[in-house]
Amino acid sequence: MSKNSKTTSSRVAGLAAQVLRDADASAIQKRLAGSALSQVTQGKQTSAEMEAEAGRVLNSEKYNETTKALAATVVSQSTLDR
């Protein structure tokens, strides 16, 4: 499997940190934020399960811009073979 060397940008990392501190953030937002923050440095990449969940978010109209931004970051950091 090819390794993806992309990391989470400082802008998205800040957004993810805000989401994790927000008591009103949804469970999906918190899962995506956690995944994005775990990939701030190289060496980690998105699991197949998180990639699928992020893909569902991106394909749905019910999620807001924050959730979709986190999902896009998570998807972009999946393995290159998927």
Side-chain angles (χ1 to χ4, degrees):
M1 218 178 263
S2 299
K3 197 84 164 136
N4 187 335
S5 62
K6 291 183 181 180
T7 60
T8 301
S9 70
S10 59
R11 183 187 73 78
V12 174
L15 178 65
Q18 282 181 318
V19 165
L20 290 173
R21 286 191 301 267
D22 183 356
D24 295 326
S26 68
I28 184 65
Q29 282 181 324
K30 291 193 180 231
R31 283 193 304 275
L32 291 167
S35 181
L37 279 178
S38 76
Q39 298 174 62
V40 169
T41 59
Q42 289 183 340
K44 294 197 175 204
Q45 50 191 88
T46 303
S47 69
E49 295 81 19
M50 278 307 300
E51 181 183 1
E53 192 164 15
R56 285 190 293 276
V57 167
L58 291 172
N59 286 318
S60 174
E61 294 182 16
K62 78 176 192 175
Y63 296 101
N64 65 22
E65 191 175 310
T66 298
T67 309
K68 287 196 175 207
L70 293 168
T73 295
V74 168
V75 167
S76 75
Q77 295 170 352
S78 63
T79 67
L80 300 174
D81 294 338
R82 280 190 250 143

